[in-house]
Amino acid sequence: MIALRQLSKIFRTPTQNITAVDTMDLTIQEGEIFGVIGYSGAGKSTLIRLLNMLEKPTSGQVSVGDKNMSELSGRELRKARQEISMIFQHFNLLWSRTVKQNIAFPLEIAGVPREERNQRVNELIELVGLSGRGEAYPSQLSGGQKQRVGIARALANNPSVLLCDEATSALDPKTTDAILDLLTSINKQLGITIVLITHEMHVIRKICHRVAVMEEGRIVEQGQVLDVFRNPKEEMTKEFVKQITEPEETMEAIEELLKDSKEAPVVKLMFVGEDAEQPVMTELIRTCGVSVNILQGKLSKTQHGSYGTLFVQLQGEPENVEAALRFLEDHRVEAEVLKDDK
Ligand SMILES: Nc1ncnc2c1ncn2[C@@H]1O[C@H](COP(=O)(O)OP(=O)(O)OP(=O)(O)O)[C@@H](O)[C@H]1O
Ligand SMILES: [Mg+2]
């Protein structure tokens, strides 16, 4: 378990003091994938660097497992750090070393004998899907492959915690998904706790169990990913959730439609968990006597079930449309009738 108690980090510069992390309390359970999302400057990187003491807290406590990180120094701290490794946005590989030598690096530092080291490197190469590329240099690899090297290197000393600082931000969407799949399988296979920070809700949606939303050094909202998606409370959280549910182009198209569709209401439906299924819609059409004109829709999987939004236009007699809205409510599908507010 990772526990932060009243943790603060203030950067003192000649011109001002910047509170990057502000009296934060947070608990992350063993074995979970915990995401922190926030805009640039929210303090995410500072927070993650406080977890392994790359930044020293100004005040407050960080404990990882049974160790109070803020009290350790020298050899003890170096040992504790082997338990908490990290991957980075720009990979931070050693360019003059091969894939194998990069992965072996932390093992060399830990004093692992050569034979054991080679064996471990081979295992790791296999684990991250880089078989056959061991002798390549980083410059010969794609971005996704470079991050795989970063992951293998981070796992070399069998850490219990893996910290990811925008680990997929430099990658295209498809490669991002592949790396996120790899992280998910590492979490499942090895039971490693993963803390990741990102500014993309897609990343949170795809692999996190829980999420915290960070703004100006504080956590403004946290919870299980599906709960937060279903019922975001803070304005900032709503904005992030919209990255997934209401892509800009969709909303523009819907607004156009609202302008000249006075008669048939446009409804935004939210499906969560078990209900994110087609049968509900089929039954609605069958039992309520309305026809459903599907405008836009997207269903995404999270670690705790599916989540989706569907924009539809309900066509029929007013009482049938009413019945349809009630039907949706009874089936725990949230329905919001959209209005043209211009
Ligand atoms: N070493 C430093 N010295 C002074 N100020 C710093 C230092 N590191 C970070 N800051 C400041 O602390 C605040 C939080 O920075 P941080 O890098 O943690 O944000 P972030 O959420 O990771 O942003 P991004 O998404 O851009 O990476 C910013 O105002 C930043 O300028
Ligand atoms: Mg950052």
Side-chain angles (χ1 to χ4, degrees):
M1 189 178 88
I2 300 172
L4 312 184
R5 294 287 167 257
Q6 296 287 297
L7 186 68
S8 290
K9 176 70 189 184
I10 302 171
F11 292 107
R12 300 186 196 285
T13 70
T15 49
Q16 56 177 338
N17 291 341
I18 300 166
T19 307
V21 173
D22 194 355
T23 48
M24 187 181 286
D25 286 308
L26 179 67
T27 305
I28 297 170
Q29 301 302 333
E30 216 173 293
E32 83 175 322
I33 306 184
F34 191 92
V36 178
I37 190 164
Y39 291 121
S40 189
K44 305 180 299 294
S45 294
T46 306
L47 172 66
I48 214 163
R49 290 163 58 83
L50 283 163
L51 297 182
N52 57 6
M53 293 292 130
L54 282 177
E55 297 287 358
K56 293 278 179 215
T58 307
S59 60
Q61 249 188 35
V62 178
S63 56
V64 178
D66 54 2
K67 292 194 187 70
N68 181 345
M69 297 296 289
S70 11
E71 277 176 359
L72 304 180
S73 59
R75 235 170 75 103
E76 279 181 328
L77 181 59
R78 279 196 295 279
K79 199 150 163 263
R81 272 199 190 128
Q82 288 186 1
E83 287 282 305
I84 312 167
S85 54
M86 189 156 172
I87 57 173
F88 307 87
Q89 179 174 2
H90 298 293
F91 323 119
N92 294 15
L93 303 179
L94 298 164
W95 298 92
S96 60
R97 285 179 160 235
T98 63
V99 167
K100 278 189 173 174
Q101 290 165 342
N102 264 284
I103 300 171
F105 190 61
L107 296 164
E108 286 167 27
I109 292 178
V112 176
R114 178 190 291 255
E115 196 134 314
E116 199 182 321
R117 216 160 61 205
N118 289 341
Q119 197 188 333
R120 180 81 185 125
V121 168
N122 289 333
E123 279 170 23
L124 288 160
I125 285 187
E126 182 106 355
L127 177 75
V128 301
L130 280 178
S131 301
R133 300 311 309 265
E135 305 304 331
Y137 285 88
S139 60
Q140 299 169 315
L141 301 178
S142 69
Q145 289 170 329
K146 284 179 201 148
Q147 196 55 291
R148 286 173 194 272
V149 179
I151 292 170
R153 181 184 57 184
L155 296 178
N157 283 312
N158 289 310
S160 53
V161 179
L162 178 63
L163 308 175
C164 312
D165 188 344
E166 301 277 2
T168 55
S169 298
L171 306 174
D172 62 57
K174 203 164 154 225
T175 311
T176 293
D177 278 353
I179 293 294
L180 295 178
D181 284 340
L182 176 62
L183 290 174
T184 308
S185 85
I186 284 166
N187 165 261
K188 283 210 181 103
Q189 261 183 58
L190 311 176
I192 292 181
T193 308
I194 297 181
V195 183
L196 67 85
I197 63 178
T198 181
H199 59 272
E200 291 171 300
M201 207 51 160
H202 166 74
V203 171
I204 301 282
R205 194 271 297 159
K206 192 160 158 77
I207 77 164
C208 293
H209 302 121
R210 286 199 301 147
V211 59
V213 182
M214 195 169 170
E215 184 182 21
E216 293 182 353
R218 293 170 174 268
I219 285 173
V220 294
E221 185 164 356
Q222 62 173 307
Q224 264 216 8
V225 170
L226 214 47
D227 291 339
V228 171
F229 276 21
R230 176 171 22 203
N231 191 15
K233 296 194 175 63
E234 298 295 323
E235 216 32 60
M236 167 145 316
T237 314
K238 288 179 189 165
E239 280 174 34
F240 279 118
V241 172
K242 276 186 187 168
Q243 284 183 3
I244 291 188
T245 58
E246 298 177 14
E248 228 166 282
E249 34 330 339
T250 300
M251 290 324 284
E252 277 167 19
I254 300 284
E255 269 160 31
E256 272 307 301
L257 201 116
L258 283 174
K259 278 184 198 150
D260 44 38
S261 68
K262 298 283 177 271
E263 67 292 355
V266 174
V267 184
K268 176 184 164 192
L269 305 174
M270 270 178 282
F271 297 85
V272 180
E274 299 307 312
D275 290 332
E277 301 290 352
Q278 222 182 341
V280 181
M281 292 312 291
T282 316
E283 211 182 319
L284 174 124
I285 296 166
R286 203 183 298 139
T287 60
C288 302
V290 290
S291 62
V292 177
N293 181 15
I294 295 179
L295 306 171
Q296 281 277 359
K298 193 171 176 192
L299 189 64
S300 328
K301 277 207 174 352
T302 75
Q303 290 295 315
H304 290 119
S306 300
Y307 175 81
T309 44
L310 197 59
F311 292 90
V312 299
Q313 198 167 24
L314 296 177
Q315 286 159 330
E317 297 302 320
E319 61 269 26
N320 290 351
V321 170
E322 275 299 310
L325 292 171
R326 272 201 307 279
F327 174 92
L328 289 165
E329 206 174 294
D330 291 345
H331 288 73
R332 299 199 310 125
V333 179
E334 245 170 82
E336 182 189 339
V337 179
L338 302 180
K339 300 227 160 56
D340 175 22
D341 37 36
K342 270 170 217 113

